[in-house]
Amino acid sequence: MERRHRVSMTDIAREAKVSPATVSRALNGHPTVSDKVRRSVLDAAERLGYVRNLGAVSLASSQSNTVGLLIRDAGNQFYGGLASRIQAETDRYGFDLLITAGGDTLESQERAVRNLLGHGVGGIVIASGRVAAEAAEYSARFVPSLVLGTGLELPSLSSVRIDPHMEAGLARRVVDHGHRSIAVTASEDPLASTLHARTANFLTELVVAKTDTYIVSFSEQGGVDELGRQVDRALADGVTAIMAGSDEMALQILEYLNISGLRCPQDVSVTGFDGIGAYRSSLLGLTTIEQPVDELAHAAIKLMSRHMNEEHAQTAQILVPGRFVKGRTLGMAQTSD
């Protein structure tokens, strides 16, 4: 397919029968341009299909109106949903949004940050549960930066995340259902700051409640087979409930239990975390905590707007409450006669 020539200001000037300098002033709303000339320039730009070079505009004004969003994985329901809500919030605030995926390594995340900086963004939101501290601090050296939905907290960055009291509250609900031997999933990935913090919050509450705790560790390389072996060992040790750090992990555990002929919650209870998209469905019936993506996105872009418009804005840590989803996968612990 033959591609069209990208329309320049010179093309518009020729069409509107004015100088390129007049076109530039008209497109940028300069007060010396009359309404009649501005209308003529805008009409010509519309007819020709002119697209503004936002990077050049940012360089000319020394201030960017573009927010960069680094997400871990657009295919993940949580990050995909979060990106959609951030788009709505940047639209509401009048910002442009540039999105890139950062992946799960320091190298890929730093490359993603450099890509955003190279496109002249005025601030960067990092929404990744596996963000490396070095990548986040690298971003903060150049533009206002904040981490969203992660357990990472650094003095150089603002952060917005779900209130950790929601994690502690879920652990208390499991205990209140009579469970005294409880397994908690844990990631072996050193960058999984969100899951590390969530596991620690679960375990702290369970230890305070004087329960017996068991760790079900997992890695990307181990796959479902390794997860199954971990679950089998936990159940052999008398575990009656498993608290997963995410809904995706909870679903994998539920699938394994079903294959093994075990019932949930009659034989073992399972809880998740995130409550996004299909995982929140009553058909699945997962007991989980719903992360409020609307509120998280709103708080993040409101805070980023402050950072981009106030030269000496202080960093802030904002906690947003979530919602308990009752579901059907958490039941009362079965006592032996």
Side-chain angles (χ1 to χ4, degrees):
M1 183 180 71
E2 184 179 355
R3 291 184 173 84
R4 295 179 58 184
H5 162 69
R6 181 161 182 164
V7 178
S8 68
M9 288 191 184
T10 301
D11 297 323
I12 298 173
R14 188 180 301 114
E15 177 77 8
K17 297 180 173 57
V18 297
S19 70
T22 298
V23 171
S24 177
R25 288 194 293 270
L27 292 175
N28 287 291
H30 200 282
T32 60
V33 179
S34 69
D35 290 342
K36 180 179 179 181
V37 171
R38 179 176 292 107
R39 186 69 265 162
S40 176
V41 168
L42 293 176
D43 287 346
E46 179 70 21
R47 286 195 302 275
L48 295 174
Y50 174 67
V51 178
R52 300 192 77 185
N53 186 330
L54 297 176
V57 172
S58 297
L59 288 173
S61 66
S62 299
Q63 184 175 2
S64 174
N65 197 46
T66 301
V67 173
L69 172 62
L70 189 160
I71 58 175
R72 179 188 167 212
D73 177 10
N76 180 287
Q77 285 202 53
F78 176 70
Y79 295 114
L82 196 56
S84 175
R85 296 314 307 160
I86 288 175
Q87 177 76 73
E89 289 297 322
T90 52
D91 287 349
R92 195 164 72 87
Y93 274 83
F95 292 127
D96 296 307
L97 182 66
L98 184 62
I99 304 176
T100 187
D104 290 344
T105 68
L106 171 60
E107 292 75 17
S108 64
Q109 291 168 17
E110 288 186 336
R111 185 166 57 249
V113 170
R114 287 194 296 270
N115 180 36
L116 293 173
L117 293 171
H119 282 83
V121 299
I124 294 178
V125 176
I126 301 174
S128 169
R130 297 187 182 181
V131 61
E134 296 88 343
E137 289 179 324
Y138 176 75
S139 175
R141 284 166 50 192
F142 299 97
V143 294
S145 303
L146 68 84
V147 288
L148 174 60
T150 175
L152 186 67
E153 291 190 2
L154 299 168
S156 58
L157 294 97
S158 290
S159 67
V160 177
R161 62 160 296 187
I162 191 169
D163 191 332
H165 284 100
M166 301 303 301
E167 297 158 354
L170 181 59
R172 284 195 298 273
R173 286 180 183 270
V174 174
V175 173
D176 289 344
H177 278 71
H179 296 280
R180 292 295 178 269
S181 185
I182 303 167
V184 177
T185 63
S187 174
E188 295 178 6
D189 187 331
L191 294 183
S193 58
T194 297
L195 289 176
H196 294 329
R198 187 163 298 151
T199 298
N201 288 328
F202 286 161
L203 288 173
T204 297
E205 194 63 32
L206 295 175
V207 168
V208 169
K210 295 182 172 58
T211 64
D212 295 325
T213 57
Y214 192 98
I215 300 295
V216 173
S217 62
F218 66 93
S219 65
E220 299 291 338
Q221 295 75 26
V224 177
D225 290 340
E226 175 58 26
L227 176 64
R229 287 190 289 270
Q230 294 267 352
V231 169
D232 285 342
R233 285 195 287 268
L235 297 180
D237 282 352
V239 162
T240 61
I242 303 174
M243 299 188 68
S246 70
D247 291 341
E248 182 179 7
M249 179 57 59
L251 185 58
Q252 291 182 42
I253 293 170
L254 288 170
E255 289 176 339
Y256 179 76
L257 294 175
N258 183 61
I259 292 171
S260 303
L262 295 171
R263 301 166 301 166
C264 178
Q266 294 90 338
D267 298 319
V268 58
S269 289
V270 177
T271 61
F273 205 99
D274 285 338
I276 301 298
Y279 293 117
R280 192 174 50 200
S281 170
S282 59
L283 292 176
L284 178 60
L286 180 62
T287 299
T288 187
I289 295 292
E290 178 186 341
Q291 294 224 50
V293 289
D294 287 0
E295 290 84 352
L296 289 168
H298 175 72
I301 300 307
K302 180 179 180 180
L303 185 54
M304 179 55 70
S305 176
R306 196 177 81 197
H307 284 311
M308 291 174 64
N309 290 296
E310 298 178 18
E311 187 174 353
H312 301 293
Q314 297 294 311
T315 59
Q317 284 69 48
I318 297 176
L319 302 178
V320 180
R323 184 178 73 89
F324 175 69
V325 179
K326 185 176 181 180
R328 299 186 301 273
T329 61
L330 173 60
M332 298 299 296
Q334 300 299 310
T335 57
S336 57
D337 295 331

